[in-house]
Amino acid sequence: MIQLTLEITLSLAIPVLVPELLVGVALAVSNDIPSSCLNLNTNLQAVAIRMHIKSLITICSFYLPPHQTIHQTELNNLISQLPSPFLILGDLNGHSPLWGGTETNSRGRQIEQLLSDHSISLLNNDGKTHLHLPTQTFHSIDLALCAPALLPFLNL
């Protein structure tokens, strides 16, 4: 399990909701931390901020619904809008042995391609992050990714 520790009081929420799907993503940042919203030009359920913690970093949270078709160009477009160094946290609904899955699905292959194309580092180990209630099985679908420039600053 990846553990990032920030001692902050959450007071600012940045929600993005898609009413027809009744889902969304959000980020919250303490008023004590200098930050600003990053406007993203995407149809993906994503939000991003730039914040200053020892240095300026971009944090992006996004959700990829499991049965929604996502084109690789949409993912590439999102990554191209994130100033480096960046940290991406999300429920990406992809399965791959790279992050603890037993098999690879099409979304997992998309994420693997994204990691390769953009030299993005995967922070997950093989820990499970989700309990699928209908089958009572655990999966690793929540991922933490970052630009390689952030790796020296993380306690992994």
Side-chain angles (χ1 to χ4, degrees):
M1 172 174 287
I2 308 296
Q3 184 174 11
L4 300 174
T5 305
L6 295 175
E7 293 184 22
I8 59 175
T9 303
L10 302 178
S11 59
L12 170 66
I14 309 164
V16 171
L17 298 176
V18 181
E20 63 273 12
L21 299 176
L22 299 174
V23 295
V25 294
L27 287 171
V29 181
S30 170
N31 289 333
D32 298 345
I33 299 175
S35 64
S36 61
C37 295
L38 186 62
N39 293 321
L40 300 173
N41 182 18
T42 182
N43 290 324
L44 298 174
Q45 296 179 54
V47 292
I49 58 167
R50 298 278 281 154
M51 62 189 300
H52 199 277
I53 308 174
K54 296 186 181 181
S55 66
L56 190 61
I57 65 169
T58 302
I59 300 178
C60 177
S61 173
F62 75 109
Y63 172 68
L64 299 178
H67 303 293
Q68 182 178 339
T69 300
I70 305 292
H71 299 282
Q72 197 70 31
T73 54
E74 293 175 279
L75 296 173
N76 291 336
N77 176 51
L78 176 63
I79 297 302
S80 72
Q81 295 179 65
L82 301 177
S84 196
F86 57 78
L87 176 65
I88 299 170
L89 306 167
D91 177 354
L92 305 187
N93 283 298
H95 299 271
S96 169
L98 286 179
W99 51 85
T102 56
E103 58 187 40
T104 303
N105 65 0
S106 60
R107 179 67 55 74
R109 284 187 289 279
Q110 278 188 298
I111 297 164
E112 289 173 354
Q113 187 67 49
L114 189 72
L115 297 175
S116 175
D117 288 351
H118 298 276
S119 299
I120 297 172
S121 298
L122 174 67
L123 300 176
N124 290 61
N125 54 26
D126 61 356
K128 306 302 181 197
T129 63
H130 174 75
L131 170 63
H132 185 254
L133 290 175
T135 61
Q136 294 292 298
T137 56
F138 290 94
H139 300 275
S140 302
I141 58 173
D142 303 304
L143 300 181
L145 316 171
C146 76
L150 277 183
L151 288 174
F153 303 101
L154 301 176
N155 283 335
L156 301 178

